Amino acid sequence: MTTTNTIENSEHPIIKHNNLDVESQRTQEATEVTFDYAKRAQWLRAALLGANDGLLSTASIMMGVGAVSEDVKTMILSGIATLLGGACSMAIGEFVSVYSQYDIEMSQIKREMKNGLSNADQIEEKKSDLPSPTKAAVASATAFALGAMVPLLAAAFIRNYRVRLAVVVAVVSLTLIGFGSLSAILGRAPLVKSTLRILIGGWVAMAVTFGSTKAVGSTGLIST
């Protein structure tokens, strides 16, 4: 509560606020806002990571296949297979991981109920705050699929081999810049540093996959 001191000065009273209490209240409000922001950002960052995983996994596989085959159909099919397999893998992995967390927290709640450490209202509140394995799995798979759609759409309508590869790299690079910027904003990290980190990482992933597959294809083990 802010205290005030009244000073009589001729006809008009002057009210002087206690600056210390005001600053304390502002600090408390700022802390609450920061806490709420960080809590919401956890889900956004998880979705961003899933989309980034889908983007890079699919783009790298498509670049690898493109290194040994100029056929657009083969490249697109490899991307679709990566999208489906990756989305299922992400969903299953997230479901198992979150369900393990759910089981641990439920066991703790049951112990508290047994020992009378929490009342009924507190128990129900804790149960309502438990993560949903199904929702987490669906969110993870959806984020991966959305990221994977970017290189697929970029390559789907381009017949020329070299132009197709260049467009995929360009579109993926622009998307990585967007992801890096969002990650920096959500994590309150340096914008340029975060963006360059994710962009260079994406370039390395695509280059390694393309170069390694090209090297294997040049040995004659794979016919183009």
Side-chain angles (χ1 to χ4, degrees):
M1 179 181 295
T2 304
T3 60
T4 59
N5 296 323
T6 303
I7 302 176
E8 295 294 339
N9 184 12
S10 65
E11 298 180 354
H12 304 286
I14 301 175
I15 299 176
K16 184 178 181 181
H17 293 273
N18 190 320
N19 293 330
L20 183 61
D21 290 344
V22 173
E23 291 298 327
S24 177
Q25 184 177 0
R26 289 177 179 175
T27 302
Q28 182 179 0
E29 291 174 354
T31 303
E32 291 174 357
V33 171
T34 303
F35 174 78
D36 292 338
Y37 172 85
K39 193 173 182 179
R40 290 193 301 268
Q42 291 178 357
W43 286 98
L44 293 175
R45 293 178 68 181
L48 187 61
L49 288 173
N52 183 68
D53 193 5
L55 174 72
L56 281 183
S57 297
T58 306
S60 296
I61 294 296
M62 290 175 65
M63 293 296 293
V65 172
V68 295
S69 176
E70 297 184 5
D71 183 39
V72 63
K73 183 178 180 180
T74 302
M75 193 173 182
I76 294 300
L77 286 175
S78 67
I80 293 174
T82 305
L83 185 156
L84 296 175
C88 291
S89 176
M90 291 287 288
I92 294 171
E94 193 72 12
F95 183 84
V96 172
S97 176
V98 175
Y99 219 116
S100 298
Q101 178 185 351
Y102 178 87
D103 288 339
I104 293 172
E105 295 188 17
M106 276 300 298
S107 298
Q108 177 63 27
I109 291 174
K110 289 178 180 178
R111 283 193 293 269
E112 292 180 3
M113 291 176 61
K114 183 178 179 180
N115 297 328
L117 299 177
S118 300
N119 57 41
D121 292 336
Q122 291 174 329
I123 294 297
E124 289 301 321
E125 183 179 354
K126 290 180 180 180
K127 286 183 178 181
S128 64
D129 290 338
L130 290 177
S132 171
T134 303
K135 290 181 180 180
V138 172
S140 182
T142 302
F144 185 96
L146 290 175
M149 288 297 296
V150 174
L152 278 171
L153 292 175
F157 306 104
I158 301 177
R159 296 293 177 182
N160 184 278
Y161 170 67
R162 296 184 183 277
V163 174
R164 185 167 66 250
L165 292 181
V167 169
V168 169
V169 173
V171 171
V172 170
S173 297
L174 290 175
T175 309
L176 287 173
I177 291 174
F179 285 168
S181 300
L182 282 175
S183 178
I185 293 172
L186 293 175
R188 296 185 178 181
L191 182 62
V192 175
K193 184 177 180 180
S194 298
T195 302
L196 285 177
R197 182 167 55 241
I198 192 172
L199 180 61
I200 294 173
W203 286 346
V204 170
M206 289 187 288
V208 168
T209 307
F210 183 89
S212 299
T213 310
K214 191 75 171 178
V216 173
S218 65
T219 62
L221 296 177
I222 300 176
S223 58
T224 58

